[in-house]
Amino acid sequence: MCTEEGNRMQPMVQISNVRKSYADGFEALKGVSLEIRDGEILALLGPNGAGKTTLISAICGITQPTSGTVTVGGHDVVTAYRGARSLVGLVPQEINLEPFERVMNTVRFSRGLFGKPKDDALLERILRQLSLWDKRDSRIMELSGGMKRRVLIAKALAHEPRVLFLDEPTAGVDVELRRDMWDIVAQLKKDGVTIILTTHYIEEAEAIADRIGVINKGEILLVEEKTALMTRLGQKELRIELQDAITDLPASLAARGLRLEESGHVLVYTYDTAQDRTGIATLIREVSDAGLVLRDLQTRQNSLEDIFVGLVSEQEGAA
Amino acid sequence: MNWQAIWAIYTFEMSRFFRTLLQSFVSPVISTSLYFVVFGAAIGSRIDEVEGVSYGAFIVPGLIMLSVMTQAISNASFGIYFPKFIGTIYELLSAPINFLEIVMGYVGAAATKALFIGTVILATSALFVDLTIQHPLAMVIFMLLTCLSFALFGFIIGIWAQNFEQLQLIPLLIVTPLVFLGGSFYSISMLPAAWQTISFFNPVVYLVSGFRWAFFGIADVPIGLSLLAIAGFTLLCLGIIWWIFKTGWRIRS
């Protein structure tokens, strides 16, 4: 599915035709293939139940894929799991922490679990970076939800992973914390960590990702550079309702790419929000110059759902 | 072998124990003292000796076994069940460790706790009765093997359990009755013949008997048979754990 314009380097994570089906016949992943490049931030966009968490679980060793292979840094996650897993840090979606443990202790445990010798200086750096240093001796249950998420990140970073999986890091998180999270991700990228995050917020992918993958019903529908995808996602529609229906578009308006809909009652103009000049002001002027009377105006943004619908119908059309 | 990880799990589990040291330490001391007051003083005054040993001293090995078995089971089963319950198991599954290393960490910690409590009870007992240990080495081996095998058994229960009720079910319905009916507080020879026969189907009889032999040189069953029983139980638990490891049963979907 994912076609690269030339393999500049060995991919950090290589997912080949991974399937996961459960005993009840449900297929959570239907042959997913994906390459994740060293040092990039890849956002996996998809609605709930799309298979995002299952895919991450299959890479991290939490679930066994039914078929297909995954390698991390060239190590197969099943046959060479030690090599693969020691490169990977995982921040789960749920806040899974021992409530009675203290922050420093639980982070130290994570490092040890990955076979790394004690290094409290490093852990101090990580905790400071995540604004957790003051809370190092607090019990987990005394922390706010946002702080707990930071602890999960600290635990995942404690063994210095080269690849970090963030499973919906900002689901149910307030705006301020979301910004903080994005800053943390940007900093990690600077440090050379490859980051894969799942989300269902387009803005999040837009804010931090280099590439965006769209997953739905266990299938990767596309993987694209963010800039390319955002152009498609950034399309907006202006609907101009007219007082009186017209049968033909005035030539000046037809030249601007307007369409006539709803038996001549509505003019539809598609434009790109990312452009400096959207051309709306001129358009409105031209509409009234053409002698048309406006009754109402509406704008509509292309949503992720539109993209899904588009992609799925494209897929069906191709099949 | 990822020793660092085993050590991390071991120390993490032990820190839970030390956090509740008062409870870990005081509770066995109090319950042992109560057993001595009730069994030793009240009942024991009417039974002067069992096979040449004062009744107070006679119950010491059984008392230690009772606590060691229940503590090893509860610590090991809770140790692995709790991460499953609160979801932190994801970390164990995504770490570069194998199942054997996970078992060594959790079972090692649970066995250590049980050993600690067994030693505390032994020391407390020495305050109440005169104790001579005829075969100290055998006593240590029996104690270690019991801690280990029952911690393994507890680990299996913890993996199997899907809620807190199930976690308590086997210790409550099977282990405690077997221990109480296993000659902890009496000699099997004191029972009517039919019950003696039935008792020999109780595996705990062999453990208590062997352990008591190490103290006083008296036993209900030959010492070799006792050793065989505990070795067999350990192997059975290891076998089940190996199977869990192979299939990922109730751990890795």
Side-chain angles (χ1 to χ4, degrees):
Chain A
M1 176 80 218
C2 161
T3 51
E4 311 259 344
E5 303 91 334
N7 279 322
R8 284 180 293 274
M9 56 182 102
Q10 176 87 6
M12 192 64 199
V13 180
Q14 173 109 45
I15 302 159
S16 311
N17 203 20
V18 166
R19 287 173 188 280
K20 175 71 191 178
S21 41
Y22 290 96
D24 60 3
F26 175 69
E27 245 194 328
L29 297 173
K30 300 169 184 164
V32 170
S33 295
L34 179 64
E35 283 184 357
I36 297 154
R37 300 168 191 156
D38 194 6
E40 78 169 334
I41 300 178
L42 176 83
L44 268 181
L45 273 172
N48 291 325
K52 302 188 294 285
T53 301
T54 311
L55 182 59
I56 288 185
S57 298
I59 301 168
C60 296
I62 290 165
T63 185
Q64 278 167 348
T66 313
S67 67
T69 57
V70 180
T71 63
V72 179
H75 308 279
D76 186 286
V77 296
V78 177
T79 56
Y81 65 92
R82 281 190 207 266
R85 288 187 202 162
S86 51
L87 295 175
V88 174
L90 168 64
V91 181
Q93 189 175 340
E94 307 286 332
I95 296 180
N96 299 324
L97 289 165
E98 288 218 19
F100 308 110
E101 272 308 325
R102 295 183 195 281
V103 171
M104 188 62 172
N105 204 25
T106 185
V107 176
R108 225 179 250 146
F109 169 70
S110 300
R111 183 172 171 83
L113 202 57
F114 277 72
K116 294 286 171 79
K118 197 173 164 181
D119 185 349
D120 282 356
L122 172 89
L123 298 186
E124 180 179 341
R125 262 205 317 282
I126 292 172
L127 291 180
R128 282 190 189 281
Q129 191 186 350
L130 293 164
S131 317
L132 277 174
W133 183 242
D134 295 340
K135 303 279 182 191
R136 63 190 179 278
D137 293 321
S138 303
R139 287 179 198 280
I140 303 288
M141 60 184 182
E142 295 161 2
L143 301 180
S144 67
M147 283 290 175
K148 285 180 188 158
R149 270 194 196 275
R150 287 162 191 263
V151 174
L152 286 176
I153 298 179
K155 279 168 77 70
L157 292 176
H159 67 278
E160 305 157 90
R162 299 260 327 266
V163 186
L164 185 67
F165 287 91
L166 293 157
D167 196 0
E168 309 228 356
T170 57
V173 153
D174 65 32
V175 179
E176 196 186 344
L177 185 63
R178 187 170 301 169
R179 299 254 165 234
D180 285 359
M181 210 63 89
W182 294 353
D183 290 343
I184 291 166
V185 169
Q187 182 58 45
L188 289 171
K189 182 185 158 70
K190 258 188 220 157
D191 298 342
V193 180
T194 305
I195 294 157
I196 295 94
L197 68 102
T198 68
T199 180
H200 46 245
Y201 303 117
I202 296 177
E203 315 83 68
E204 183 154 283
E206 186 178 4
I208 53 181
D210 298 316
R211 282 199 307 158
I212 295 174
V214 177
I215 183 169
N216 191 32
K217 293 183 180 158
E219 285 177 284
I220 299 263
L221 300 182
L222 97 177
V223 184
E224 261 179 50
E225 298 293 332
K226 175 179 70 181
T227 40
L229 187 65
M230 287 329 287
T231 334
R232 289 167 67 181
L233 284 168
Q235 302 268 302
K236 236 176 165 178
E237 240 178 36
L238 173 67
R239 297 172 72 83
I240 306 168
E241 228 173 287
L242 300 172
Q243 193 75 45
D244 303 301
I246 53 171
T247 44
D248 292 306
L249 265 179
S252 61
L253 296 179
R256 298 185 121 272
L258 261 70
R259 295 195 310 274
L260 203 53
E261 281 184 8
E262 296 182 25
S263 46
H265 276 288
V266 177
L267 289 173
V268 181
Y269 173 57
T270 312
Y271 63 100
D272 188 350
T273 49
Q275 279 173 357
D276 288 342
R277 293 174 175 279
T278 53
I280 294 177
T282 338
L283 180 78
I284 303 283
R285 209 165 39 241
E286 281 173 10
V287 168
S288 54
D289 284 352
L292 303 173
V293 184
L294 305 186
R295 207 172 82 178
D296 199 4
L297 287 176
Q298 271 182 343
T299 64
R300 212 173 127 255
Q301 176 127 32
N302 258 355
S303 67
L304 183 58
E305 215 167 305
D306 294 333
I307 295 285
F308 279 141
V309 172
L311 285 167
V312 171
S313 57
E314 261 174 46
Q315 224 181 17
E316 277 167 3
Chain B
M1 194 59 93
N2 190 342
W3 294 106
Q4 203 86 41
I6 299 171
W7 182 243
I9 296 173
Y10 182 84
T11 49
F12 195 75
E13 280 299 296
M14 290 309 288
S15 78
R16 197 206 312 280
F17 180 65
F18 288 120
R19 250 202 321 265
T20 54
L21 192 62
L22 201 68
Q23 185 194 329
S24 312
F25 181 80
V26 173
S27 135
V29 170
I30 289 180
S31 63
T32 310
S33 306
L34 284 175
Y35 277 119
F36 274 112
V37 170
V38 175
F39 287 104
I43 300 174
S45 61
R46 290 160 191 267
I47 315 169
D48 18 300
E49 282 192 345
V50 181
E51 297 174 30
V53 179
S54 79
Y55 185 69
F58 181 83
I59 63 169
V60 171
L63 269 182
I64 296 174
M65 276 290 174
L66 175 68
S67 290
V68 162
M69 288 174 189
T70 49
Q71 286 290 331
I73 288 178
S74 69
N75 279 305
S77 61
F78 183 80
I80 189 65
Y81 177 72
F82 195 55
K84 273 187 7 179
F85 178 67
I86 59 171
T88 51
I89 188 101
Y90 84 88
E91 213 179 5
L92 289 173
L93 297 179
S94 63
I97 51 175
N98 64 26
F99 195 69
L100 183 67
E101 288 152 356
I102 296 177
V103 170
M104 283 168 80
Y106 281 103
V107 168
T112 308
K113 293 174 200 175
L115 188 66
F116 174 81
I117 287 162
T119 312
V120 167
I121 293 173
L122 182 62
T124 313
S125 306
L127 299 176
F128 287 89
V129 290
D130 281 334
L131 273 182
T132 46
I133 303 169
Q134 290 191 10
H135 310 279
L137 184 67
M139 190 218 59
V140 171
I141 291 174
F142 259 101
M143 185 119 119
L144 282 176
L145 275 177
T146 309
C147 289
L148 185 69
S149 58
F150 277 76
L152 285 169
F153 184 49
F155 188 86
I156 296 169
I157 294 172
I159 293 279
W160 166 78
Q162 285 170 317
N163 52 49
F164 273 102
E165 196 189 8
Q166 289 185 349
L167 198 64
Q168 302 293 338
L169 207 64
I170 293 183
L172 205 66
L173 290 185
I174 300 176
V175 179
T176 308
L178 284 185
V179 173
F180 270 88
L181 300 174
S184 300
F185 301 112
Y186 54 85
S187 167
I188 299 296
S189 60
M190 292 157 89
L191 296 175
W195 283 105
Q196 284 192 32
T197 315
I198 292 170
S199 291
F200 290 125
F201 288 98
N202 179 353
V204 176
V205 166
Y206 298 84
L207 303 187
V208 172
S209 166
F211 198 49
R212 189 173 288 137
W213 174 85
F215 277 81
F216 312 119
I218 51 165
D220 290 324
V221 292
I223 177 70
L225 213 55
S226 288
L227 271 173
L228 215 62
I230 184 116
F233 183 62
T234 310
L235 285 175
L236 178 71
C237 291
L238 282 173
I240 295 173
I241 284 179
W242 178 80
W243 174 81
I244 293 174
F245 172 46
K246 287 286 282 183
T247 57
W249 180 70
R250 289 204 174 164
I251 314 177
R252 196 170 261 131
S253 54

